[in-house]
Amino acid sequence: MGVSMTVDSDIGSTAAQHAANFRSNAYTPTDLFEKVNAKITSQNENLNAFISFADEAALSAAENATQRIKSGENGALIGIPIAVKDLLNTAGQRTTAGSKMLEHFMPVQDSTVVQKLKDAGLVIMGKTNLDEFAMGSSNEYSAYGQVHNPWDLSRVPGGSSGGSAATVAARGVPLSIGTDTGGSIRQPAALCGVMGLKPTYGRVSRFGVVAFASSLDQVGPFSRDANDMADLLQVIAGHDEKDSTSSHEPVPNFKSTFDHGFDGVKIGIPSELLQEGVDDTVLESFEHAIHEFEASGAIINRDISIPSIKAALPVYYLLAPSEASANLARYDGVKYGFSALDGRNAEEVMSASRGMAFGPEVKRRIMIGTYALSAGYYDAYYLKAQKVRTVIQKEFNTALNEVDTILTPTTPTTAFEIGSKINNPIEMYLNDLFTLPANIVGLPALSTPCGFSDGLPIGLQMIGKAFGEADLIGYAHAYQSATNWHEFSPTNE
Ligand code: GLN
């Protein structure tokens, strides 16, 4: 890896390695673009990780980056190829949200995150595949076909940001962007053996991101290691006046914690969550990770209690569909999006358009959400779920007064076979058992590789204090310095 420093030998490198190679003139961003473009296009035949490629726009971004580097600019990610989930608007490039509804949707404006990536000189290679409107845990609900897990093509990559996780795992691009409403960055990161971070709610702008559940949605990075993750979060974080929910909290240097290590770090394990439905091999890897932290000086507390944490799953599956049903009301077949033109009146056009262009899971969510919000049921469902959300929030705050971070496995199992859960929505929803709570309470959480079972990766989740991303990335950095789980790749690169 990276010894001879040519674009061919280093094509699968991390962003930091590419940046060093650009600086030493081993190759330029334009050289890298050509190779990466060829690689991800050919990988797509098996993986289906991309819905569209940026081609000319990416080439000219790469040429521009090559000039910027020549003229001595030193932004960490200038010229680095990146993939963006097809839920973020890209001006002049199709943004489908994984749905037939937006098959021909061409945004006129970039989302703030995409604008920031472009300003920082990153080269957006294409838009990645996802479950329709980000609803799903397996990528089986995309209108653009199944994404395959690079570790085993018969298995799911996780979801909903499955394409973003799969291409980083397959060493297609070193970085990608996903969104996480209930686990959609961390869960596929775990199942594909890469790193993924859901920032604190409000840390990253949601402007120009197709909305799923607005009180839960966050945009975040995928990478191979903590160093690249810190660099990418540095680019996308910060207040945005175009998103009223984005925070004014100052953005720290996300590498400022890199020399802290684990000495004296207080780690909490919510034992309530680890009782049932978790694979033994996942628990084994999780325990190994805890020993690793302990050996490096961390103080483990297995008695922290978040009694209501188990309610996070039912709470989520009321709140998220409710917000989704409101957000998706705008797709009426009239203003924009797919339109069934043969209706005799507005109602028929709307009903036919929505009936034809939404897939089964999206319809299920709209029905659950509309029901939960309807007069007579609102108090019993939506309002009750909001109240339980407040209880969970209080319990998390109490727990995080006692410890610095809360650790869980990221997912109860490793990547499952395509088709094995598609007919059982409840079983599918249980994938999110460990990831949902952080969205419910708005806290930052990341997943980093911590082992393998039968050749399939396992992820470790760390949940942090509000706006404590630097701490989490620092812990991951320390863990990655002590272990090498994050270095394995399905392509042996
Ligand atoms: N799997 C969860 C769901 O289906 C989470 C999705 C997400 O985070 N976007 O809603």
Side-chain angles (χ1 to χ4, degrees), residues 364-387:
R364 180 166 25 238
R365 307 272 178 126
I366 292 174
M367 282 190 278
I368 296 172
T370 309
Y371 183 79
L373 290 177
S374 58
Y377 295 103
Y378 179 87
D379 288 2
Y381 294 118
Y382 187 76
L383 197 64
K384 188 76 168 280
Q386 285 288 27
K387 287 180 180 165

Side-chain angles (χ1 to χ4, degrees), residues 448-459:
T448 189
C450 71
F452 285 88
S453 166
D454 284 337
L456 296 170
I458 296 172

Side-chain angles (χ1 to χ4, degrees), residues 85 134-137 159-160 179-185 212 316-317 320 365 429 432 436:
K85 187 177 187 177
M135 299 174 193
S137 308
S160 64
T179 64
D180 189 314
T181 304
S184 278
I185 292 175
F212 165 9
Y316 174 88
Y317 277 101
R365 307 272 178 126
Y429 297 168
D432 308 328
L436 294 173

